[in-house]
Amino acid sequence: MAVHELSRIDARRIAVRAQLLDSSRPAHLLDLVLRLTLLQIDPTAAIAPSADLVAWSRLGSSYSPAELEAALADRALLELRAMVRPAEDLALYRAEMAEWPGRGELRDWQEANRDWVRANDACRRDILDRLGAMGPLPSRDLPDTCAVPWKSSGWTNNRNVTQLLEFMVRRGEVAVAGRKGRDRLWDLATRVYPNDPVVPVDEARRRRDRRRLHALGIARARGPECPVEPLDVGDAGEPAVVEGVAGRWRVDPAHLAQPFSGRTALLSPFDRLIHDRKRTIELFEFDYQLEMYKPASKRRWGYFALPILHGDRLVGKVDATVDRTAGALRVDAIHEDVAFDRAVTAAVQGEIRDLADWLELDLVLR
């Protein structure tokens, strides 16, 4: 198979179009999630929840967070490991769940997780019994009868029930049935997931790789191991090289030689266009990190700075936060990675005004 030779401009436009950030906006939330394959859930809402920001960036101010709430309530969309996915995609994960913690020779950490769940099998069965009788329930209403506490150097230390629930999700036994505020409501997976035919593991991985590549447009065939959602796409698509960028890539042929018309958009820090920081630097020559975990004195762009997309370039960041007490969207700075001309300035300011209007807040520029 011939290797596609792409310029950086080609690669960027493929990525932007695949992520539905060109001038042709999708019409409906369900179509959007089906194309993107996921919306990431994150509890940080310095401006708005990330899943809603991602939807707004693509659908525009006609989008209402109530649409996402309704789709989750109707189970057209489902939550799986902090990702909102189309309900029909769950069939691509069920066979892998049944093989947890994995097939073949296990790594040390997989064996440790398996052994911890086995040691707490009585608690696992207690949880299943309680959910079967009374679910959906928040984790605080589930019994902690663990014989062996979960040990961690992080925030999960001794959080036995929540950790066990996470493993039970991976085993396909329980699922998030909804949310009450920030609390996840748990239930038996058989009462949440659709009863679609389960796709065998190897075929399911191939399908997930193809869908991921179609959503990204261009990606590496191999990349660093990532939990939940890989950055690479295996053998999906066709091989490609990008001028001035080392390494081999995979490209979705459906996105090749397509016309491109760009627009301006403000992105969530968790947006999939920029989620792979190495890919973002290589293809877009754009340096970005989420700085909310850094001390204020060490931040370059702001607590929750929004990357700015203009056409096929990432051109800067908007340092903005919501002051809910004052009912205001406060913009502390607009960082220009490249000098803005009048057209870019006007387009960025227009997006900021649209964001404030969508949030139903006053706009305060500092």
Side-chain angles (χ1 to χ4, degrees):
M1 182 181 295
V3 177
H4 298 283
E5 297 181 0
L6 306 174
S7 67
R8 267 203 180 98
I9 293 176
D10 294 332
R12 290 198 300 265
R13 290 181 173 181
I14 287 170
V16 171
R17 188 189 307 108
Q19 275 289 295
L20 306 178
L21 285 163
D22 60 347
S23 63
S24 179
R25 293 181 183 266
H28 305 290
L29 176 67
L30 292 181
D31 293 340
L32 169 71
V33 182
L34 193 63
R35 283 283 304 276
L36 298 185
T37 76
L38 61 86
L39 294 176
Q40 183 173 344
I41 297 171
D42 188 88
T44 306
I47 295 173
S50 182
D52 290 323
L53 273 178
V54 169
W56 169 78
S57 293
R58 290 151 174 84
L59 296 169
S61 293
S62 63
Y63 165 71
S64 169
E67 296 176 48
L68 179 55
E69 294 173 5
L72 288 166
D74 294 342
R75 301 207 174 135
L77 300 176
L78 293 172
E79 180 177 339
L80 176 63
R81 301 186 66 190
M83 302 288 183
V84 173
R85 298 186 184 275
E88 55 262 46
D89 279 7
L90 263 293
L92 303 178
Y93 295 88
R94 299 299 299 275
E96 199 167 80
M97 290 173 178
E99 290 189 349
W100 187 91
R103 60 168 66 173
E105 185 175 353
L106 301 179
R107 299 180 186 180
D108 290 346
W109 61 269
Q110 290 175 304
E111 291 184 350
N113 291 343
R114 177 202 61 197
D115 292 346
W116 185 78
V117 172
R118 283 179 177 173
N120 292 300
D121 188 62
C123 183
R124 182 185 70 84
R125 286 185 280 109
D126 287 345
I127 290 172
L128 292 173
D129 289 344
R130 180 72 63 86
L131 292 177
M134 303 175 61
L137 295 171
S139 60
R140 63 176 174 271
D141 290 346
L142 297 172
D144 183 356
T145 57
C146 283
V148 179
W150 176 257
K151 295 187 182 302
S152 169
S153 59
W155 71 274
T156 61
N157 187 59
N158 210 36
R159 299 175 71 94
N160 303 324
V161 170
T162 55
Q163 190 60 42
L164 188 52
L165 285 167
E166 295 297 336
F167 289 133
M168 292 172 74
V169 167
R170 298 181 204 185
R171 290 163 60 98
E173 296 176 314
V174 302
V176 177
R179 286 184 176 247
K180 188 174 183 179
R182 290 193 172 187
D183 289 338
R184 290 176 292 182
L185 300 177
W186 299 93
D187 205 348
L188 302 179
T190 53
R191 295 202 293 229
V192 176
Y193 296 157
N195 191 28
D196 296 332
V198 173
V199 180
V201 169
D202 292 335
E203 174 60 22
R205 287 176 180 167
R206 285 191 290 270
R207 289 194 199 178
R208 295 201 310 258
D209 285 344
R210 289 197 296 267
R211 284 184 41 68
R212 188 180 312 111
L213 179 58
H214 190 65
L216 295 173
I218 182 169
R220 293 182 192 83
R222 300 289 180 267
E225 187 170 316
C226 293
V228 185
E229 184 70 10
L231 299 176
D232 56 41
V233 295
D235 296 327
E238 297 178 357
V241 293
V242 180
E243 183 182 4
V245 179
R248 293 280 177 152
W249 298 76
R250 305 293 294 185
V251 65
D252 185 343
H255 292 302
L256 292 170
Q258 296 293 321
F260 179 82
S261 176
R263 61 182 177 88
T264 302
L266 305 181
L267 306 181
S268 163
F270 299 100
D271 199 288
R272 302 310 285 186
L273 185 71
I274 60 162
H275 189 77
D276 182 344
R277 304 306 190 211
K278 188 171 186 289
R279 174 181 181 261
T280 303
I281 290 173
E282 291 177 339
L283 299 187
F284 289 87
E285 300 172 280
F286 183 72
D287 184 17
Y288 180 79
Q289 288 183 338
L290 178 60
E291 297 181 311
M292 65 189 216
Y293 301 110
K294 291 184 177 182
S297 61
K298 294 186 177 181
R299 293 175 191 149
R300 292 178 288 173
W301 306 304
Y303 178 83
F304 200 73
L306 306 180
I308 303 168
L309 175 70
H310 182 74
D312 60 29
R313 298 296 305 273
L314 291 161
V315 297
K317 300 99 177 170
V318 173
D319 179 10
T321 53
V322 167
D323 183 340
R324 303 188 190 282
T325 301
L329 174 67
R330 299 190 183 278
V331 177
D332 294 316
I334 300 174
H335 301 281
E336 300 182 14
D337 284 32
V338 296
F340 290 4
D341 59 23
R342 288 184 179 180
V344 175
T345 298
V348 171
Q349 289 177 346
E351 284 299 300
I352 293 171
R353 286 192 297 272
D354 284 348
L355 177 59
D357 290 343
W358 176 62
L359 295 169
E360 298 182 342
L361 298 171
D362 295 329
L363 178 59
V364 178
L365 300 172
R366 293 185 175 179

